[in-house]
Amino acid sequence: MTKDRKGPLAACVKQSLERYFNDLNGEKTTGVYDMVVAEVEKPLLEIVMRHVKSNQCKAAEILGINRNTLRKKLKQHKLL
């Protein structure tokens, strides 16, 4: 898939965010970016780590991040 096309993940996030804002019923909210990242990051790390059989070098390469950054994120989410 090319970077300019939106796939099913983007559609799922969009639908979830539309439901989130609808459910707010006009209440103010903050920190939506951090909330979305927190909701998506842990399952992303879990699936990638399972895919590479816990090989951090391969996981970091797939994710496009530094291995030290990956280790930090794994620790943050209590996956290490």
Side-chain angles (χ1 to χ4, degrees):
M1 179 180 305
T2 60
K3 289 185 181 182
D4 59 329
R5 289 182 43 196
K6 299 215 178 353
L9 181 59
C12 182
V13 171
K14 182 178 178 180
Q15 180 182 18
S16 294
L17 283 170
E18 287 172 347
R19 189 175 330 120
Y20 173 78
F21 283 109
N22 189 42
D23 290 348
L24 284 175
N25 268 341
E27 292 289 322
K28 289 187 177 185
T29 187
T30 60
V32 174
Y33 178 84
D34 288 336
M35 177 191 72
V36 171
V37 170
E39 289 285 327
V40 171
E41 191 171 58
K42 184 175 181 177
L44 171 65
L45 294 172
E46 289 172 331
I47 296 298
V48 170
M49 290 301 290
R50 188 177 316 134
H51 176 72
V52 297
K53 298 176 176 58
S54 299
N55 183 315
Q56 293 178 15
C57 290
K58 287 182 182 178
E61 183 178 342
I62 287 172
L63 293 166
I65 60 176
N66 181 283
R67 192 175 65 83
N68 290 331
T69 301
L70 173 62
R71 286 182 57 76
K72 182 179 108 182
K73 290 180 178 298
L74 291 171
K75 286 180 183 178
Q76 284 174 344
H77 292 288
K78 297 178 173 60
L79 297 173
L80 190 62

